[in-house]
Every structure is written in C-alpha cells, then in structure tokens.
Amino acid sequence: MPTDIAFLAIAEAQQLYHWLPAALELARRPGVRVSVLSPSDKLLALIGSYDPDGRLAQVRLARPPSGPDSLFRQPSRLATLLLNHRRIARYPAIVTTEISSAWLRRMPGFASRLILIKHGAGDREGGYKKRHAEFDLTLVAGEKDRRRMIERGLCVDTRIAIGGYPKFELKAARQRFFADDKPVLLYNPHFDPILSSWIRHGPGVMAALESLEGWNVLIAPHTKLARRVPPISSAAPHIRVDMGSRRSIDMSYTMSADVYLGDVSSQVYEFLIEPRPCIFLNLDHRDASCEAFAHWRLGQVIETMDALPAALARANNLQAGFLGVQEAAMRDSIDRSPVPASRRQADIILDFLKDAA
C-alpha cells in the first residue's frame, strides 16, 4: 500500500514556501502519495504553479463563510479544521507549518500523525507556543531553533530534527525594480504590534525614506502588517511599496536589495543567504541584549531615523567587520547542508513514519 501523506494549506501564502519543496520531493518517491488540502482556490493555484507535472493531488476543503479568497486573507484556521476534520482525519500522516492544526487532537476519533515544519528562522519569542508540544515530529531549519525548542520543553530530542530551509530552493532570481542603478535599500518591518518599527513610528520612518538621496527603496513589510495598518503608500519616485504579493514572499526583494533595514523579521536570514549590510531600527530603545534581538548583532543598530543616512554611507565599509558574525548566525539558524533541504525533510518524514508504523 502507498504511504499517504497530506499537507495542510490552511495558512496564508507565505507559509507554503516552507513545506512545498518537501511535498514535491515526497511525491517523486516510489510508493508515496501526497495530497494538498486547502480551502483556497488561490492557494491551490499558486501551489500548482510550482507543480507543472501535477504530482500533488489537490483536495479542495470546504470553506467557512468569510471574505474573498486571497493569498494573504484566509478564513479562521480553527473554523476550517472544525468544518473539515473528518476529511482531514482520513490521512494517516498530516504535515503543516502552523500550530492551529494541533486542535485536531481534540476531535473525536482523530489518530493521524501530526508533523510540524516550523516556518521562519527568527529570534523573537512569538515563535514558541505551548501548542508546539502537541506534534509527533517537528522539523526546524537549524540548531538554534532545535536548541530553543528543547530548552523551552516544547520537544524532546527524539521528536525534533533539523531539516534545513527548503524555501531557498524556490527563491526568485535577483531582479531590477528601478530604472536607474542606484543601490537598493529593502525596508522590511514586522507585524508584531509591540516590536514593529512601523506601527508606532510609520510617519517618521516614511519621511526619512522619502528624503533619502542616492538610494532606491523597496518597502515590503511582513504581509500580516496589512491587517493592522492602513496601506503604506508614497509618491516618491525612488520608493516602491508592496503590501503583499507573490514577490513579497518568494524572496524577490531579499535577493535584489543591497542593504537590509528592519526590526525583528526572520526575513533577515533570507537576505543573508548572500551576506550583505544590515541596519536595524531600535526606535523604542529596547534592550538589544535580549535573545529576541540576537540578529541585531549582524549589522548596525540605530535609534533615530536621522541616523539612517550616515549608517547607509558607512554600511559597505563596516560590512567586513560583520561578515563573520553573519556567517556564524546563519550556520546556527539555517543548516545549509550540501543535501537539499527538501530531500532531507522527505527522508526525515519517511523514516519517522516507518518507525511509527
């Protein structure tokens, strides 16, 4: 009998890049049947664009009443699970990147194996919740996340494995977004209302970016920021804003910028796939030694927007001093084995299911 594995696509589009390479790799394996379960036609279409041979069986789940179907607005995950739990439970193994799926454990008769592929590689504490402990197997990008999950009692070492960062296998190529050859600054604010540099300081940040000379600016916040603030816009010719598109999640911008400007987004590690200068905004004067801001060691930290032009002017000269720290942080955060992450994750999942059987 084939090994049946279902991947849940009930979160927003940015999360599918963390499981899709493993799903495609598993679907190539003999004796493995992979299904993708989603309430979203838009998500299934995006997944299909990476699967021209149709290796993945697409299963359209019932969709709870909600607004329009879009890549970045999906119905309540819990409502989706409640509406479809019997159908989902038919699959003996379920892989997901979001922890809401742990609620399936509370459904009568549910006996499937739950496998979590953690998305992102960041440092903030929001990546560690009690529900993480409810999965049979957790795959993380690197040793940092493995260590923190175990330290927080969310996993034992026999139920967590390092599988790398498969999103790198789907990364977009470097692109040109402006007509001239000025260097490109990527501003990537997070959505966390406490930690985001935009929510409290947006007007001042925008004024500083609009007054920059000699730079083009890509503003591409975490896609969830659009739920918390009015759309960001600017008429400045050297600024391009993307509040949520395929380019904002497929690494188009992190691959195409020369300098990164941000706060707590794990996308800084996607930017550092090729080490380059980073600048971090500590506009609320937080304790930078806190573990949640460990990545602030990877570049300059400024506490006022007035300091941005000077920080940009010296960024290239200072980069050599940050290079070793950036490379070490990347090694700890993302295990970049010569073996592709998708293959490693597929092997881990199949070995786990074989042992469980």
Side-chain angles (χ1 to χ4, degrees):
M1 290 183 63
T3 299
D4 265 318
I5 303 174
F7 282 74
L8 277 182
I10 63 172
E12 296 74 25
Q14 66 270 15
Q15 291 198 25
L16 71 86
Y17 287 84
H18 296 278
W19 61 257
L20 183 53
L24 291 169
E25 174 63 24
L26 283 164
R28 298 185 189 102
R29 303 291 179 93
V32 180
R33 187 164 51 200
V34 179
S35 302
V36 175
L37 284 54
S38 179
S40 167
D41 293 327
K42 291 290 180 67
L43 289 179
L44 290 173
L46 179 58
I47 292 162
S49 72
Y50 290 99
D51 182 28
D53 298 326
R55 295 179 182 273
L56 304 175
Q58 295 196 357
V59 177
R60 176 64 152 77
L61 297 177
R63 186 176 179 86
S66 67
D69 183 4
S70 75
L71 293 180
F72 304 108
R73 288 292 180 98
Q74 289 300 314
S76 158
R77 298 171 195 175
L78 180 56
T80 300
L81 295 169
L82 288 170
L83 190 60
N84 294 278
H85 71 93
R86 290 186 180 87
R87 192 173 192 183
I88 296 169
R90 296 173 190 168
Y91 297 87
I94 297 166
V95 185
T96 182
T97 52
E98 46 72 45
I99 58 174
S100 300
S101 297
W103 286 107
L104 290 166
R105 293 255 186 244
R106 293 158 173 76
M107 305 300 177
F110 183 82
S112 306
R113 300 286 181 177
L114 279 179
I115 300 169
L116 176 69
I117 297 178
K118 282 197 72 184
H119 63 281
D123 299 305
R124 71 187 186 99
E125 196 61 31
Y128 303 96
K129 306 288 189 184
K130 288 183 179 179
R131 268 180 286 173
H132 279 117
E134 299 188 41
F135 290 84
D136 298 296
L137 174 68
T138 297
L139 279 66
V140 293
E143 178 58 35
K144 177 183 72 179
D145 217 357
R146 180 183 182 276
R147 182 174 64 247
R148 290 181 175 181
M149 289 284 284
I150 294 172
E151 287 173 351
R152 287 159 175 77
L154 299 175
C155 276
V156 295
D157 59 3
T158 56
R159 291 173 55 186
I160 188 167
I162 296 172
Y165 204 75
K167 183 176 179 178
F168 287 163
E169 297 169 37
L170 299 179
K171 70 179 186 298
R174 184 177 177 93
Q175 299 162 61
R176 182 170 179 159
F177 291 105
F178 300 92
D180 57 46
D181 293 323
K182 294 175 185 174
V184 176
L185 173 67
L186 169 61
Y187 174 48
N188 173 226
H190 201 263
F191 66 88
D192 188 310
I194 297 174
L195 303 177
S196 173
S197 56
W198 179 264
I199 291 177
R200 288 192 178 118
H201 305 282
V205 172
M206 180 58 81
L209 295 177
E210 288 183 334
S211 66
L212 272 183
E213 296 182 357
W215 287 83
N216 290 315
V217 181
L218 291 168
I219 300 177
H222 191 293
T223 55
K224 286 186 178 181
L225 186 68
R227 302 180 189 179
R228 300 184 179 275
V229 300
I232 299 172
S233 63
S234 174
H238 66 286
I239 291 180
R240 176 185 178 126
V241 181
D242 187 341
M243 292 296 289
S245 73
R246 182 165 173 168
R247 282 175 168 163
S248 68
I249 57 176
D250 69 2
M251 295 180 59
S252 289
Y253 299 137
T254 54
M255 293 300 296
S256 302
D258 299 291
V259 176
Y260 179 91
L261 178 68
D263 36 54
V264 296
S265 177
S266 66
Q267 284 190 46
V268 68
Y269 292 104
E270 297 178 7
F271 178 80
L272 290 174
I273 188 175
E274 296 176 3
R276 285 161 286 171
C278 298
I279 301 171
F280 301 100
L281 297 178
N282 185 11
L283 304 180
D284 292 305
H285 310 293
R286 300 187 181 278
D287 178 6
S289 65
C290 174
E291 188 178 43
F293 307 110
H295 54 285
W296 284 4
R297 297 177 290 108
L298 311 182
Q300 300 177 74
V301 179
I302 60 175
E303 297 189 344
T304 69
M305 292 307 299
D306 290 343
L308 180 60
L312 287 170
R314 59 181 176 259
N316 285 331
N317 290 335
L318 293 178
Q319 174 59 13
F322 288 113
L323 181 59
V325 184
Q326 289 179 351
E327 291 176 339
M330 281 293 287
R331 285 194 299 271
D332 196 29
S333 300
I334 297 175
D335 190 311
R336 297 180 67 186
S337 162
V339 180
S342 58
R343 193 186 312 167
R344 296 160 66 193
Q345 290 186 339
D347 289 342
I348 292 167
I349 290 169
L350 291 178
D351 288 344
F352 166 75
L353 294 177
K354 180 180 178 181
D355 291 343

